[in-house]
Amino acid sequence: MKIVHSISELRAQLRGQLRTAFVPTMGNLHEGHLSLMRLAANHGDPVVASIFVNRLQFGPNEDFDKYPRTLDDDITKLEKEGVYVLFAPDEREMYPVPQDYRISPPQDLGDILEGEFRPGFFIGVTTVVMKLFQCVQPQVSVFGKKDYQQLMIIRRMCSQFSIPTEIIPAETIRESDGLAMSSRNRYLSTDERLEAVWLSKTLHQVADRIRQGQASTRITVDDVVEIESAAKQILNHRGWRTDYISVRRRSDLKAPQAQDLAEPNQLVVLAASRCGATRLIDNLEI
């Protein structure tokens, strides 16, 4: 595996490649990330990964400084997956001058759910992804469904800017008990790790209630609001601090209307909640 730290080295290494597949990450790689590498290899060659902890997507009170950085371990894992190039720039390489030019998603998509509770987060995400795409110029790029809203925003950014990169969605990889794999899971204590499975359990309960209502053809928009509220109470009564549990349309992440509830496979339930001090996110398509 070639390890490069500058944009010029990266471009030289990839010159002449016609079907580059790209997986951007912030490192601290786990099986979820590695599954993205394997999916990328099915859609392109060579596979390029990046590791860059992007300051722009962290809020002032978030965990940028303590975000786990495990480059040596990550390199070993990527080599085993047959990744061709790892692009691991530092901040001076990515942002040699202040990044005054930013990409702003539309408010009706970027300022809801995660965007409501993490103001500016998606501006940081889209800006760094746009910059990485300009560096790598991939034909395909893989993003996980665990970050459902991010996946939708990146897809729309590529469409509206005519970026010639196909975005490939990857299913969420879970632990044996159902917890979605995340780099932040390492912040959980032993007891919190046992408790953390309740996030995915609660999402399944929401999905089951929605499906039961759809099967009876009696579910209403008010019913959905009640189901969301009950799910939030379940977690909060267990000591969680929940930002949102929300049923949305898969197509645009807007709240469902009556006609959306009448059709199967149109919805997704998304959640963000804190187990102890660790904020976890997850979602489940319905």
Short mmCIF file of all heavy atoms in Angstrom, two decimals, residues 218-273:
data_model
loop_
_atom_site.label_atom_id
_atom_site.label_comp_id
_atom_site.label_asym_id
_atom_site.label_seq_id
_atom_site.Cartn_x
_atom_site.Cartn_y
_atom_site.Cartn_z
N ARG A 218 -54.56 1.74 9.24
CA ARG A 218 -55.21 2.73 10.10
C ARG A 218 -54.22 3.75 10.67
O ARG A 218 -54.62 4.62 11.42
CB ARG A 218 -55.91 2.03 11.27
CG ARG A 218 -57.06 1.13 10.84
CD ARG A 218 -57.62 0.38 12.04
NE ARG A 218 -58.69 -0.53 11.65
CZ ARG A 218 -59.25 -1.41 12.46
NH1 ARG A 218 -58.82 -1.52 13.70
NH2 ARG A 218 -60.23 -2.20 12.03
N ILE A 219 -52.96 3.63 10.35
CA ILE A 219 -51.97 4.52 10.95
C ILE A 219 -52.12 5.94 10.40
O ILE A 219 -52.40 6.14 9.21
CB ILE A 219 -50.55 3.99 10.71
CG1 ILE A 219 -49.54 4.77 11.56
CG2 ILE A 219 -50.17 4.03 9.23
CD1 ILE A 219 -48.17 4.14 11.61
N THR A 220 -51.97 6.93 11.29
CA THR A 220 -52.10 8.33 10.91
C THR A 220 -50.81 9.07 11.25
O THR A 220 -49.94 8.56 11.97
CB THR A 220 -53.26 8.99 11.65
OG1 THR A 220 -52.95 9.04 13.06
CG2 THR A 220 -54.56 8.21 11.44
N VAL A 221 -50.73 10.30 10.77
CA VAL A 221 -49.59 11.14 11.10
C VAL A 221 -49.51 11.36 12.60
O VAL A 221 -48.42 11.36 13.19
CB VAL A 221 -49.69 12.48 10.34
CG1 VAL A 221 -48.62 13.45 10.84
CG2 VAL A 221 -49.56 12.26 8.84
N ASP A 222 -50.65 11.53 13.26
CA ASP A 222 -50.67 11.70 14.72
C ASP A 222 -50.15 10.45 15.42
O ASP A 222 -49.47 10.55 16.46
CB ASP A 222 -52.08 12.02 15.20
CG ASP A 222 -52.52 13.43 14.83
OD1 ASP A 222 -51.65 14.27 14.53
OD2 ASP A 222 -53.74 13.69 14.84
N ASP A 223 -50.46 9.28 14.87
CA ASP A 223 -49.93 8.04 15.45
C ASP A 223 -48.41 8.03 15.40
O ASP A 223 -47.75 7.58 16.35
CB ASP A 223 -50.47 6.82 14.69
CG ASP A 223 -51.96 6.61 14.88
OD1 ASP A 223 -52.49 7.01 15.94
OD2 ASP A 223 -52.59 6.05 13.96
N VAL A 224 -47.83 8.49 14.30
CA VAL A 224 -46.38 8.51 14.15
C VAL A 224 -45.76 9.41 15.21
O VAL A 224 -44.75 9.07 15.84
CB VAL A 224 -45.98 8.96 12.74
CG1 VAL A 224 -44.47 9.16 12.64
CG2 VAL A 224 -46.45 7.94 11.70
N VAL A 225 -46.36 10.56 15.43
CA VAL A 225 -45.86 11.49 16.45
C VAL A 225 -45.89 10.83 17.82
O VAL A 225 -44.94 10.95 18.62
CB VAL A 225 -46.67 12.79 16.44
CG1 VAL A 225 -46.26 13.69 17.61
CG2 VAL A 225 -46.49 13.52 15.12
N GLU A 226 -46.96 10.10 18.11
CA GLU A 226 -47.08 9.41 19.41
C GLU A 226 -46.03 8.31 19.54
O GLU A 226 -45.43 8.14 20.61
CB GLU A 226 -48.48 8.82 19.55
CG GLU A 226 -48.78 8.22 20.91
CD GLU A 226 -48.26 6.79 21.07
OE1 GLU A 226 -48.25 6.06 20.05
OE2 GLU A 226 -47.87 6.42 22.19
N ILE A 227 -45.78 7.58 18.46
CA ILE A 227 -44.77 6.52 18.47
C ILE A 227 -43.38 7.10 18.71
O ILE A 227 -42.59 6.57 19.49
CB ILE A 227 -44.81 5.73 17.14
CG1 ILE A 227 -46.11 4.91 17.05
CG2 ILE A 227 -43.59 4.81 17.00
CD1 ILE A 227 -46.37 4.31 15.68
N GLU A 228 -43.07 8.21 18.05
CA GLU A 228 -41.78 8.87 18.25
C GLU A 228 -41.62 9.31 19.71
O GLU A 228 -40.56 9.11 20.32
CB GLU A 228 -41.67 10.09 17.33
CG GLU A 228 -41.60 9.77 15.85
CD GLU A 228 -41.74 11.01 14.99
OE1 GLU A 228 -42.30 12.02 15.47
OE2 GLU A 228 -41.29 10.97 13.83
N SER A 229 -42.66 9.93 20.25
CA SER A 229 -42.60 10.42 21.62
C SER A 229 -42.42 9.28 22.62
O SER A 229 -41.62 9.38 23.56
CB SER A 229 -43.88 11.20 21.94
OG SER A 229 -43.88 11.63 23.28
N ALA A 230 -43.13 8.18 22.41
CA ALA A 230 -43.02 7.03 23.30
C ALA A 230 -41.62 6.43 23.26
O ALA A 230 -41.06 6.03 24.29
CB ALA A 230 -44.06 5.98 22.93
N ALA A 231 -41.04 6.36 22.06
CA ALA A 231 -39.69 5.82 21.92
C ALA A 231 -38.67 6.69 22.64
O ALA A 231 -37.76 6.19 23.31
CB ALA A 231 -39.34 5.69 20.44
N LYS A 232 -38.83 7.99 22.51
CA LYS A 232 -37.91 8.92 23.20
C LYS A 232 -38.02 8.74 24.72
O LYS A 232 -37.01 8.73 25.44
CB LYS A 232 -38.24 10.35 22.80
CG LYS A 232 -37.25 11.38 23.30
CD LYS A 232 -37.53 12.75 22.70
CE LYS A 232 -36.52 13.78 23.17
NZ LYS A 232 -36.76 15.11 22.56
N GLN A 233 -39.24 8.56 25.21
CA GLN A 233 -39.43 8.35 26.64
C GLN A 233 -38.78 7.06 27.12
O GLN A 233 -38.23 7.01 28.22
CB GLN A 233 -40.92 8.34 26.97
CG GLN A 233 -41.59 9.70 26.85
CD GLN A 233 -43.06 9.64 27.20
OE1 GLN A 233 -43.49 8.84 28.02
NE2 GLN A 233 -43.85 10.50 26.57
N ILE A 234 -38.85 6.01 26.30
CA ILE A 234 -38.23 4.74 26.67
C ILE A 234 -36.74 4.94 26.96
O ILE A 234 -36.22 4.50 28.00
CB ILE A 234 -38.41 3.69 25.55
CG1 ILE A 234 -39.87 3.21 25.50
CG2 ILE A 234 -37.47 2.50 25.76
CD1 ILE A 234 -40.18 2.33 24.31
N LEU A 235 -36.05 5.61 26.06
CA LEU A 235 -34.62 5.83 26.25
C LEU A 235 -34.35 6.77 27.42
O LEU A 235 -33.47 6.50 28.27
CB LEU A 235 -33.99 6.39 24.98
CG LEU A 235 -33.78 5.41 23.82
CD1 LEU A 235 -33.15 6.12 22.64
CD2 LEU A 235 -32.92 4.23 24.23
N ASN A 236 -35.09 7.86 27.48
CA ASN A 236 -34.83 8.84 28.54
C ASN A 236 -35.10 8.27 29.93
O ASN A 236 -34.40 8.60 30.89
CB ASN A 236 -35.64 10.11 28.29
CG ASN A 236 -35.13 10.91 27.10
OD1 ASN A 236 -34.05 10.62 26.57
ND2 ASN A 236 -35.89 11.89 26.67
N HIS A 237 -36.10 7.40 30.05
CA HIS A 237 -36.37 6.76 31.33
C HIS A 237 -35.25 5.81 31.75
O HIS A 237 -35.11 5.48 32.93
CB HIS A 237 -37.70 6.01 31.26
CG HIS A 237 -38.89 6.92 31.30
ND1 HIS A 237 -40.17 6.49 30.98
CD2 HIS A 237 -39.01 8.24 31.61
CE1 HIS A 237 -41.01 7.52 31.08
NE2 HIS A 237 -40.33 8.57 31.46
N ARG A 238 -34.46 5.37 30.77
CA ARG A 238 -33.31 4.52 31.07
C ARG A 238 -32.05 5.34 31.34
O ARG A 238 -30.97 4.78 31.53
CB ARG A 238 -33.06 3.55 29.91
CG ARG A 238 -34.22 2.57 29.66
CD ARG A 238 -33.84 1.55 28.58
NE ARG A 238 -32.72 0.71 29.01
CZ ARG A 238 -32.85 -0.41 29.71
NH1 ARG A 238 -34.05 -0.85 30.05
NH2 ARG A 238 -31.78 -1.11 30.06
N GLY A 239 -32.18 6.65 31.33
CA GLY A 239 -31.04 7.51 31.63
C GLY A 239 -30.36 8.12 30.43
O GLY A 239 -29.35 8.83 30.59
N TRP A 240 -30.87 7.85 29.22
CA TRP A 240 -30.30 8.46 28.02
C TRP A 240 -30.74 9.93 27.95
O TRP A 240 -31.72 10.34 28.57
CB TRP A 240 -30.80 7.74 26.77
CG TRP A 240 -30.32 6.34 26.59
CD1 TRP A 240 -30.59 5.26 27.40
CD2 TRP A 240 -29.50 5.83 25.53
NE1 TRP A 240 -29.99 4.14 26.90
CE2 TRP A 240 -29.32 4.45 25.75
CE3 TRP A 240 -28.91 6.41 24.41
CZ2 TRP A 240 -28.58 3.64 24.90
CZ3 TRP A 240 -28.16 5.61 23.56
CH2 TRP A 240 -28.00 4.24 23.80
N ARG A 241 -30.03 10.70 27.15
CA ARG A 241 -30.43 12.07 26.82
C ARG A 241 -30.59 12.13 25.30
O ARG A 241 -29.61 12.14 24.56
CB ARG A 241 -29.38 13.07 27.31
CG ARG A 241 -29.32 13.19 28.83
CD ARG A 241 -28.17 14.06 29.28
NE ARG A 241 -26.89 13.44 28.95
CZ ARG A 241 -25.81 14.12 28.62
NH1 ARG A 241 -25.84 15.44 28.52
NH2 ARG A 241 -24.68 13.49 28.36
N THR A 242 -31.83 12.15 24.88
CA THR A 242 -32.15 11.94 23.46
C THR A 242 -32.36 13.27 22.74
O THR A 242 -33.17 14.09 23.17
CB THR A 242 -33.41 11.07 23.33
OG1 THR A 242 -33.20 9.84 24.04
CG2 THR A 242 -33.72 10.78 21.87
N ASP A 243 -31.63 13.45 21.65
CA ASP A 243 -31.83 14.62 20.80
C ASP A 243 -33.05 14.44 19.91
O ASP A 243 -33.89 15.33 19.80
CB ASP A 243 -30.59 14.88 19.94
CG ASP A 243 -29.42 15.41 20.75
OD1 ASP A 243 -29.65 15.92 21.87
OD2 ASP A 243 -28.27 15.33 20.27
N TYR A 244 -33.15 13.29 19.26
CA TYR A 244 -34.31 13.04 18.40
C TYR A 244 -34.47 11.55 18.13
O TYR A 244 -33.51 10.79 18.11
CB TYR A 244 -34.21 13.80 17.07
CG TYR A 244 -33.01 13.44 16.22
CD1 TYR A 244 -33.03 12.35 15.35
CD2 TYR A 244 -31.84 14.19 16.27
CE1 TYR A 244 -31.93 12.01 14.57
CE2 TYR A 244 -30.73 13.87 15.51
CZ TYR A 244 -30.78 12.79 14.66
OH TYR A 244 -29.69 12.46 13.90
N ILE A 245 -35.72 11.15 17.99
CA ILE A 245 -36.09 9.89 17.34
C ILE A 245 -37.20 10.28 16.39
O ILE A 245 -38.27 10.71 16.81
CB ILE A 245 -36.59 8.83 18.34
CG1 ILE A 245 -35.48 8.42 19.31
CG2 ILE A 245 -37.09 7.60 17.58
CD1 ILE A 245 -35.90 7.38 20.32
N SER A 246 -36.94 10.15 15.11
CA SER A 246 -37.84 10.75 14.13
C SER A 246 -38.04 9.84 12.93
O SER A 246 -37.06 9.34 12.35
CB SER A 246 -37.27 12.10 13.66
OG SER A 246 -38.20 12.80 12.87
N VAL A 247 -39.30 9.66 12.55
CA VAL A 247 -39.65 8.91 11.35
C VAL A 247 -39.73 9.90 10.19
O VAL A 247 -40.43 10.91 10.27
CB VAL A 247 -40.99 8.17 11.53
CG1 VAL A 247 -41.40 7.47 10.24
CG2 VAL A 247 -40.90 7.17 12.69
N ARG A 248 -39.00 9.61 9.13
CA ARG A 248 -38.96 10.51 7.98
C ARG A 248 -39.11 9.73 6.68
O ARG A 248 -38.95 8.50 6.65
CB ARG A 248 -37.62 11.26 7.96
CG ARG A 248 -37.37 12.14 9.18
CD ARG A 248 -38.37 13.26 9.30
NE ARG A 248 -38.21 14.07 10.50
CZ ARG A 248 -37.67 15.29 10.52
NH1 ARG A 248 -37.23 15.84 9.38
NH2 ARG A 248 -37.57 15.95 11.64
N ARG A 249 -39.38 10.47 5.61
CA ARG A 249 -39.40 9.86 4.29
C ARG A 249 -37.97 9.58 3.84
O ARG A 249 -37.08 10.42 4.03
CB ARG A 249 -40.07 10.80 3.28
CG ARG A 249 -41.52 11.10 3.62
CD ARG A 249 -42.26 11.77 2.49
NE ARG A 249 -41.68 13.00 1.99
CZ ARG A 249 -42.38 14.04 1.55
NH1 ARG A 249 -43.70 13.98 1.56
NH2 ARG A 249 -41.79 15.10 1.09
N ARG A 250 -37.75 8.43 3.25
CA ARG A 250 -36.42 8.11 2.75
C ARG A 250 -35.98 9.06 1.64
O ARG A 250 -34.80 9.36 1.48
CB ARG A 250 -36.38 6.68 2.19
CG ARG A 250 -36.61 5.59 3.19
CD ARG A 250 -36.40 4.24 2.51
NE ARG A 250 -36.98 3.14 3.26
CZ ARG A 250 -36.91 1.88 2.88
NH1 ARG A 250 -36.29 1.55 1.75
NH2 ARG A 250 -37.47 0.93 3.62
N SER A 251 -36.93 9.55 0.88
CA SER A 251 -36.60 10.31 -0.33
C SER A 251 -36.00 11.67 -0.04
O SER A 251 -35.13 12.15 -0.78
CB SER A 251 -37.85 10.48 -1.20
OG SER A 251 -38.86 11.18 -0.47
N ASP A 252 -36.45 12.33 1.05
CA ASP A 252 -36.00 13.70 1.31
C ASP A 252 -35.87 14.04 2.79
O ASP A 252 -35.58 15.18 3.13
CB ASP A 252 -36.93 14.71 0.63
CG ASP A 252 -38.39 14.54 1.04
OD1 ASP A 252 -38.66 13.81 2.03
OD2 ASP A 252 -39.26 15.14 0.39
N LEU A 253 -36.12 13.07 3.66
CA LEU A 253 -36.05 13.24 5.11
C LEU A 253 -37.05 14.25 5.65
O LEU A 253 -36.87 14.79 6.75
CB LEU A 253 -34.62 13.60 5.56
CG LEU A 253 -33.56 12.52 5.32
CD1 LEU A 253 -32.23 12.95 5.95
CD2 LEU A 253 -33.99 11.18 5.87
N LYS A 254 -38.11 14.46 4.92
CA LYS A 254 -39.22 15.26 5.45
C LYS A 254 -40.16 14.36 6.24
O LYS A 254 -40.18 13.14 6.05
CB LYS A 254 -39.97 15.97 4.32
CG LYS A 254 -39.13 17.00 3.57
CD LYS A 254 -39.97 17.76 2.57
CE LYS A 254 -39.10 18.72 1.74
NZ LYS A 254 -38.38 19.70 2.58
N ALA A 255 -40.94 14.98 7.13
CA ALA A 255 -41.91 14.21 7.92
C ALA A 255 -42.93 13.57 6.98
O ALA A 255 -43.36 14.20 6.00
CB ALA A 255 -42.60 15.12 8.92
N PRO A 256 -43.32 12.33 7.23
CA PRO A 256 -44.25 11.66 6.33
C PRO A 256 -45.65 12.24 6.39
O PRO A 256 -46.12 12.69 7.44
CB PRO A 256 -44.23 10.21 6.84
CG PRO A 256 -43.87 10.32 8.28
CD PRO A 256 -42.91 11.48 8.36
N GLN A 257 -46.31 12.20 5.25
CA GLN A 257 -47.71 12.57 5.16
C GLN A 257 -48.55 11.30 5.04
O GLN A 257 -48.01 10.19 4.97
CB GLN A 257 -47.93 13.48 3.95
CG GLN A 257 -47.09 14.75 3.98
CD GLN A 257 -47.33 15.59 5.21
OE1 GLN A 257 -48.47 15.92 5.52
NE2 GLN A 257 -46.26 15.94 5.93
N ALA A 258 -49.87 11.48 5.02
CA ALA A 258 -50.76 10.31 5.03
C ALA A 258 -50.46 9.37 3.87
O ALA A 258 -50.45 8.14 4.05
CB ALA A 258 -52.21 10.78 4.99
N GLN A 259 -50.19 9.92 2.70
CA GLN A 259 -49.96 9.06 1.54
C GLN A 259 -48.67 8.26 1.68
O GLN A 259 -48.55 7.15 1.14
CB GLN A 259 -49.93 9.88 0.24
CG GLN A 259 -48.85 10.94 0.15
CD GLN A 259 -49.30 12.28 0.67
OE1 GLN A 259 -50.21 12.36 1.50
NE2 GLN A 259 -48.71 13.35 0.14
N ASP A 260 -47.69 8.81 2.41
CA ASP A 260 -46.43 8.08 2.63
C ASP A 260 -46.64 6.89 3.55
O ASP A 260 -45.97 5.86 3.40
CB ASP A 260 -45.37 9.01 3.24
CG ASP A 260 -45.13 10.25 2.40
OD1 ASP A 260 -44.89 10.10 1.19
OD2 ASP A 260 -45.20 11.36 2.96
N LEU A 261 -47.57 7.02 4.48
CA LEU A 261 -47.83 5.95 5.44
C LEU A 261 -48.59 4.79 4.80
O LEU A 261 -48.61 3.68 5.33
CB LEU A 261 -48.62 6.49 6.63
CG LEU A 261 -47.92 7.59 7.43
CD1 LEU A 261 -48.84 8.13 8.51
CD2 LEU A 261 -46.62 7.10 8.02
N ALA A 262 -49.20 5.06 3.65
CA ALA A 262 -50.00 4.02 3.00
C ALA A 262 -49.16 3.05 2.19
O ALA A 262 -49.63 1.99 1.79
CB ALA A 262 -51.05 4.68 2.08
N GLU A 263 -47.89 3.41 1.94
CA GLU A 263 -47.03 2.58 1.11
C GLU A 263 -45.88 2.03 1.93
O GLU A 263 -45.29 2.75 2.74
CB GLU A 263 -46.46 3.40 -0.06
CG GLU A 263 -47.52 3.92 -1.02
CD GLU A 263 -48.14 2.82 -1.84
OE1 GLU A 263 -47.49 1.77 -2.01
OE2 GLU A 263 -49.28 3.01 -2.30
N PRO A 264 -45.51 0.75 1.72
CA PRO A 264 -44.35 0.19 2.44
C PRO A 264 -43.04 0.68 1.83
O PRO A 264 -42.99 1.20 0.71
CB PRO A 264 -44.52 -1.32 2.25
CG PRO A 264 -45.25 -1.43 0.93
CD PRO A 264 -46.18 -0.24 0.88
N ASN A 265 -41.98 0.53 2.58
CA ASN A 265 -40.62 0.80 2.10
C ASN A 265 -40.40 2.24 1.67
O ASN A 265 -39.64 2.52 0.74
CB ASN A 265 -40.26 -0.14 0.95
CG ASN A 265 -40.44 -1.60 1.31
OD1 ASN A 265 -40.06 -2.02 2.40
ND2 ASN A 265 -41.02 -2.37 0.41
N GLN A 266 -41.07 3.16 2.37
CA GLN A 266 -40.92 4.58 2.05
C GLN A 266 -40.26 5.37 3.17
O GLN A 266 -39.91 6.54 2.97
CB GLN A 266 -42.30 5.20 1.77
CG GLN A 266 -43.07 4.58 0.63
CD GLN A 266 -42.38 4.75 -0.70
OE1 GLN A 266 -41.92 5.85 -1.04
NE2 GLN A 266 -42.27 3.68 -1.46
N LEU A 267 -40.10 4.75 4.34
CA LEU A 267 -39.74 5.51 5.53
C LEU A 267 -38.42 5.05 6.14
O LEU A 267 -37.92 3.96 5.84
CB LEU A 267 -40.86 5.38 6.58
CG LEU A 267 -42.27 5.75 6.13
CD1 LEU A 267 -43.27 5.47 7.24
CD2 LEU A 267 -42.34 7.20 5.68
N VAL A 268 -37.88 5.89 7.00
CA VAL A 268 -36.70 5.55 7.79
C VAL A 268 -36.89 6.22 9.15
O VAL A 268 -37.42 7.33 9.25
CB VAL A 268 -35.41 6.04 7.09
CG1 VAL A 268 -35.43 7.54 6.86
CG2 VAL A 268 -34.17 5.65 7.89
N VAL A 269 -36.47 5.54 10.21
CA VAL A 269 -36.47 6.16 11.54
C VAL A 269 -35.03 6.42 11.93
O VAL A 269 -34.16 5.54 11.82
CB VAL A 269 -37.20 5.28 12.59
CG1 VAL A 269 -36.65 3.87 12.66
CG2 VAL A 269 -37.16 5.95 13.95
N LEU A 270 -34.75 7.64 12.36
CA LEU A 270 -33.40 8.07 12.69
C LEU A 270 -33.37 8.52 14.14
O LEU A 270 -34.35 9.08 14.65
CB LEU A 270 -32.94 9.22 11.78
CG LEU A 270 -33.09 8.99 10.27
CD1 LEU A 270 -34.33 9.72 9.75
CD2 LEU A 270 -31.85 9.47 9.51
N ALA A 271 -32.23 8.31 14.79
CA ALA A 271 -32.12 8.67 16.20
C ALA A 271 -30.72 9.14 16.54
O ALA A 271 -29.73 8.71 15.94
CB ALA A 271 -32.51 7.49 17.09
N ALA A 272 -30.66 10.03 17.53
CA ALA A 272 -29.40 10.44 18.13
C ALA A 272 -29.65 10.62 19.62
O ALA A 272 -30.60 11.30 20.02
CB ALA A 272 -28.89 11.75 17.53
N SER A 273 -28.82 9.97 20.44
CA SER A 273 -29.03 10.03 21.87
C SER A 273 -27.70 9.79 22.57
O SER A 273 -26.80 9.14 22.03
CB SER A 273 -30.07 8.98 22.31
OG SER A 273 -30.44 9.17 23.66
#
